[in-house]
Amino acid sequence: MAGKPRKPLDATGARDSALRALGRREHSAAELQAKLQRRGADADIASEVVENLSERGWQSDSRYAEMLLRNRVQQGYGRLRIEAELEAARVPREEISAALQAVDCDWTELACNLQRRRFGGPPKGASEWQKQYRYLAGRGFESGQVRAALKGGAQEPESDPE
């Protein structure tokens, strides 16, 4: 279903649109520029508006990276998945590295907690091991972290007999 055609955005309209978008959530520079172009701004105008907003501190790739990283860690995603998502948003490599270094997260512990929450216990057999491995790997955890989570789940502390 096609909507009615949008009229082209001038610099003021593009700036207003960008500010509304940034008022809702952080956006990467590339993401914001693409959004402005979809809304009818010329590529040059969109680029100029985003550059101006970045210079004024209203748009920041580092803030976007920190926000996305914090949210994805809370949702139980691993480092590889988060890194790929930031790269897809065309956040500069140095911003991605800085955000990943700044985060205080034990990725193995996060994988263990997710495995226990999702599956309730250790895998019982090869097919369940593979299923849990694929799930955790798909969430962006490295193979060592996944193996530790699956083995750690098998070594849960036993309750002491009274």
Side-chain angles (χ1 to χ4, degrees), residues 79-99:
R79 188 182 135 303
L80 297 175
R81 169 85 178 256
I82 296 168
E83 191 173 357
E85 197 169 335
L86 288 169
E87 287 173 355
R90 295 185 292 176
V91 173
R93 190 79 193 117
E94 57 273 2
E95 300 289 344
I96 295 172
S97 297

Side-chain angles (χ1 to χ4, degrees), residues 17 25 29 33 43 59 78 98 100 140 144 150 156:
S17 183
R25 69 170 179 89
Q33 186 171 346
Q59 186 283 322
L100 286 170
L150 296 179
E156 290 180 356

Side-chain angles (χ1 to χ4, degrees), residues 15-132:
R15 182 176 182 273
D16 292 345
S17 183
L19 287 173
R20 280 193 305 275
L22 289 170
R24 286 188 287 278
R25 69 170 179 89
E26 292 288 342
H27 289 75
S28 71
E31 186 180 56
L32 188 57
Q33 186 171 346
K35 185 174 273 199
L36 290 175
Q37 288 176 324
R38 282 193 308 271
R39 292 182 178 171
D42 180 63
D44 294 333
I45 291 174
S47 176
E48 185 179 315
V49 166
V50 171
E51 187 176 318
N52 184 277
L53 293 174
S54 293
E55 288 170 1
R56 292 174 178 253
W58 293 345
Q59 186 283 322
S60 168
D61 280 338
S62 62
R63 263 196 329 260
Y64 173 77
E66 291 167 8
M67 179 270 313
L68 188 119
L69 184 62
R70 193 173 45 251
N71 288 343
R72 295 303 183 256
V73 166
Q74 288 175 348
Q75 294 171 349
Y77 287 100
R79 188 182 135 303
L80 297 175
R81 169 85 178 256
I82 296 168
E83 191 173 357
E85 197 169 335
L86 288 169
E87 287 173 355
R90 295 185 292 176
V91 173
R93 190 79 193 117
E94 57 273 2
E95 300 289 344
I96 295 172
S97 297
L100 286 170
Q101 288 175 354
V103 71
D104 183 28
C105 181
D106 182 348
W107 299 106
T108 304
E109 183 180 327
L110 184 62
C112 289
N113 291 340
L114 180 62
Q115 187 273 341
R116 278 192 299 275
R117 231 179 29 242
R118 174 84 163 120
F119 298 104
K124 297 173 181 67
S127 66
E128 195 171 324
W129 178 279
Q130 290 172 350
K131 175 183 174 184
Q132 291 184 22

